[in-house]
Amino acid sequence: SGNTSARIWQMGGTDAASGCWPLTLLPHGRDSADRKNKNVTTLEWSSDGELLATGSYDSVARVWTQTGKLKHTLRSHHGPIFLLKWNWRGNFLLSGSYDKSTIV
């Protein structure tokens, strides 16, 4: 996103015409002064749908619950994160970054 956030939309039915309510906002900064270089570049749901991982330009991967609670903050990269992938069991997360590294 270009506004340093991701959103979880709850679908009202089987198609978009049914509407999308409620909306859960996942902010990647506390306020406007804390949002520099935190635009979201990638995201990935765990296979069971319980966790959402987001990666951003600030080199941080974040793991969120379905309700929008920040569960983990992973700060090992030195460049923007462009790839996230959960293993099938959902107990490992792979991240890939512009810094030419991958971390599990």
Side-chain angles (χ1 to χ4, degrees):
S1 78
N3 69 354
T4 70
S5 67
R7 290 167 176 77
I8 299 174
W9 300 86
Q10 178 144 351
M11 301 303 293
T14 58
D15 58 32
S18 301
C20 303
W21 297 100
L23 162 72
T24 303
L25 184 66
L26 309 176
H28 284 66
R30 293 178 302 277
D31 53 44
S32 60
D34 185 41
R35 292 190 177 133
K36 185 177 181 184
N37 293 327
K38 292 186 179 180
N39 290 342
V40 177
T41 55
T42 185
L43 51 83
E44 173 85 5
W45 281 102
S46 61
S47 62
D48 63 4
E50 293 294 319
L51 299 174
L52 177 67
T54 60
S56 56
Y57 270 102
D58 66 350
S59 310
V60 177
R62 294 168 177 86
V63 179
W64 309 82
T65 65
Q66 283 182 349
T67 60
K69 179 183 173 193
L70 182 61
K71 188 167 182 169
H72 301 289
T73 304
L74 310 170
R75 301 176 186 273
S76 296
H77 283 292
H78 301 289
I81 296 173
F82 291 113
L83 172 80
L84 293 168
K85 184 69 178 168
W86 291 95
N87 70 326
W88 184 82
R89 290 178 55 194
N91 58 340
F92 289 101
L93 178 66
L94 171 81
S95 59
S97 171
Y98 185 77
D99 67 8
K100 300 180 183 176
S101 69
T102 56
I103 300 172
V104 177

